[in-house]
Amino acid sequence: MLTHAKPLAAVTGALALAASLTACGGSSAASDEKVVTVYSADGLKGEKGDGWYDKVFADFEKETGIEVKYVEGGSGEMVQRALREKSNTQADVIVTLPPFIQQAGSKGLLQKYTPKGADQVDGADKAADGSWTSVVNNYFGFIHNKKELPEAPGTWEALLDKKFENRLQYSTPGVAGDGTAVLIKAMHDFGGQAPAMEYLKKLQANNVGPSSSTSKLAPKVDKGELLVANGDVQMNFAQAKSMPNLAIWFPAKEGGKPTTFALPYAAGLVDKAPHSENGKKLLDFMLSEGAQREVSAVGGGFPARKDIKATDANAIALAKLIEGVEVFEPDWADIDENLSSYVDAWKSATGS
């Protein structure tokens, strides 16, 4: 069984709240509003209102009277939106996957706030400067349609087979967190940027094309429109409740072991958030013992707090799923610094 390598880039989920904002973002009128606005990567909200966010937000609203306004998109997309709004901030909290939480920090989009319970989050799963912390731990993975393709392809090389032509799709690197993860894993598994791009250039012959959202790929796999797509363990495990043909797998390089890496949902309080105090309350709530105990049972993810030992049926199934899979730790500082050049190399290799 694999040793649970530190789920890396976790995000200090600071919920920044944006309510009926006027041009003067952060006014005293706005700060008094009982609202908090969350910009988040997709995956934690259920397709049928049965996800971790659905439960946590409803409980939070009931306990505090603060309404959660929710905006969803790809990880990179949410950071770009917050950047565009920097002069008139709309979001209070941003939740995104690495390396985009680090990008949000380096671009000055986050303010320092340490939520209650963050002392129980591993040091590698939160920012040293207190600007973000992990709220749900997670791992990168792929999915296949187990009805039409009972056995997972197993290797990257197997995906080059003609049977996957126009039946394979992965979300867009640089836009979606899980799409960027395809690059990170390929560079790790193939031993560097050049061999990874050489492989992805070949894979492009089978790739359907760009997708800004990873969560939209799972329904296509479930219906058999696609045989294979990328994803992540938490999101796909949760989706499988209503999509019975989904199965999770982890590609290996031919002759090697299947690999994955931690891809946590990291949360941070947005700089100049119009409802900072409400954002802080939401971040505290997401890291509370009660909310963390529901990460696996309701959300199909891994608790961010190390003092929460989940023993529910989902937690047992999730542990079994990643048994025997090698977990590596990406160099997030390098990825944050060089992401645009890696994405440019991918665009050049694939003609995207």
Side-chain angles (χ1 to χ4, degrees):
M1 175 149 176
L2 58 69
T3 53
H4 192 89
K6 297 181 178 182
L8 238 164
V11 172
T12 295
L15 264 210
L17 151 76
S20 42
L21 288 181
T22 57
C24 50
S27 69
S28 58
S31 63
D32 291 338
E33 289 179 286
K34 300 283 277 183
V35 65
V36 62
T37 297
V38 180
Y39 282 10
S40 178
D42 47 12
L44 292 175
K45 204 165 194 313
E47 302 280 331
K48 298 184 176 179
D50 55 356
W52 187 69
Y53 271 165
D54 300 286
K55 179 75 165 64
V56 170
F57 291 170
D59 290 347
F60 177 73
E61 288 180 9
K62 186 176 180 182
E63 184 173 303
T64 65
I66 297 169
E67 178 191 358
V68 178
K69 297 199 171 187
Y70 178 71
V71 179
E72 179 180 280
S75 289
E77 183 185 357
M78 290 295 93
V79 171
Q80 287 304 314
R81 178 166 175 168
L83 262 177
R84 289 195 302 271
E85 296 169 351
K86 209 170 176 185
S87 62
N88 180 27
T89 309
Q90 303 292 303
D92 299 301
V93 173
I94 192 162
V95 184
T96 187
L97 304 179
F100 296 101
I101 195 66
Q102 290 92 335
Q103 189 181 82
S106 64
K107 290 184 182 298
L109 287 177
L110 305 176
Q111 59 175 295
K112 295 175 186 177
Y113 178 67
T114 303
K116 293 172 188 171
D119 59 319
Q120 292 296 333
V121 175
D122 270 341
D125 302 337
K126 57 191 177 187
D129 67 356
S131 60
W132 56 261
T133 203
S134 174
V135 290
V136 171
N137 280 337
N138 191 16
Y139 294 92
F140 177 63
F142 272 66
I143 48 175
H144 67 101
N145 179 303
K146 63 184 181 185
K147 185 178 177 185
E148 292 194 38
L149 194 68
E151 291 292 320
T155 66
W156 287 106
E157 289 83 356
L159 296 177
L160 299 176
D161 193 286
K162 268 291 214 184
K163 71 181 176 187
F164 294 108
E165 188 174 357
N166 293 323
R167 305 287 302 280
L168 174 152
Q169 189 173 17
Y170 60 91
S171 49
T172 308
V175 175
D178 288 324
T180 305
V182 172
L183 282 190
I184 294 169
K185 180 170 155 59
M187 287 194 293
H188 171 271
D189 290 0
F190 286 95
Q193 179 181 320
M197 298 310 160
E198 187 182 334
Y199 167 79
L200 292 169
K201 180 178 183 177
K202 293 176 188 170
L203 186 66
Q204 195 65 10
N206 289 342
N207 186 19
V208 169
S211 172
S212 62
S213 168
T214 313
S215 67
K216 292 189 170 110
L217 302 181
K220 295 179 182 179
V221 173
D222 183 58
K223 290 172 191 164
E225 186 180 324
L226 296 173
L227 290 176
V228 169
N230 68 317
D232 61 69
V233 172
Q234 175 279 323
M235 177 173 66
N236 296 142
F237 189 88
Q239 288 172 318
K241 286 189 291 184
S242 58
M243 300 179 197
N245 296 319
L246 293 188
I248 298 168
W249 66 291
F250 305 93
K253 187 177 184 295
E254 215 162 61
K257 281 186 171 182
T259 67
T260 188
F261 62 95
L263 203 58
Y265 291 89
L269 189 63
V270 178
D271 186 47
K272 298 184 177 64
H275 311 97
S276 279
E277 291 310 307
N278 296 348
K280 291 174 183 177
K281 287 175 185 174
L282 180 57
L283 286 170
D284 289 349
F285 195 84
M286 289 197 291
L287 269 184
S288 67
E289 283 191 40
Q292 286 291 301
R293 288 194 185 283
E294 292 174 328
V295 167
S296 57
V298 176
F302 303 81
R305 288 178 56 153
K306 57 191 175 187
D307 61 332
I308 303 297
K309 307 298 181 192
T311 56
D312 58 273
N314 282 354
I316 293 165
L318 286 161
K320 189 173 181 183
L321 188 63
I322 58 172
E323 196 173 309
V325 180
E326 182 184 295
V327 178
F328 66 91
E329 186 169 303
D331 182 345
W332 291 114
D334 169 76
I335 293 162
D336 181 36
E337 185 179 343
N338 298 301
L339 180 61
S340 59
S341 67
Y342 294 148
V343 172
D344 285 346
W346 169 81
K347 286 178 180 175
S348 175
T350 61
S352 298

